[in-house]
Amino acid sequence: MLHTLTYYLMTRGLWLTYAYLASAILLLLAGGGGEAAWYAAYLESMAQVLLGTALIGPILLEELLRRA
């Protein structure tokens, strides 16, 4: 069972990751290519970074909260 704060941070990070990926898909569908493709690739890479921090950060916090 996860601590409430850990669960909150993890779920909000995952939802924000989904929002980044959805906006990248919508940007590609609406814009086509060129500059829109560059922004979509940037959003995709930021979603990957956010996913990593949203999964690793709360787990480290959980470990800290269990030890305290």
Side-chain angles (χ1 to χ4, degrees):
M1 189 74 181
L2 289 176
H3 192 270
T4 308
L5 180 61
T6 304
Y7 182 75
Y8 177 80
L9 290 174
M10 191 177 295
T11 55
R12 295 310 180 261
L14 291 176
W15 279 110
L16 193 57
T17 301
Y18 296 149
Y20 273 29
L21 290 176
S23 61
I25 290 171
L26 290 176
L27 191 60
L28 282 176
L29 290 176
E35 195 171 315
W38 185 86
Y39 283 116
Y42 183 77
L43 282 172
E44 183 183 347
S45 65
M46 288 298 105
Q48 292 172 1
V49 169
L50 182 62
L51 179 64
T53 57
L55 293 178
I56 293 172
I59 297 301
L60 292 174
L61 176 65
E62 180 71 21
E63 182 68 25
L64 181 73
L65 290 173
R66 288 185 188 261
R67 289 184 186 214

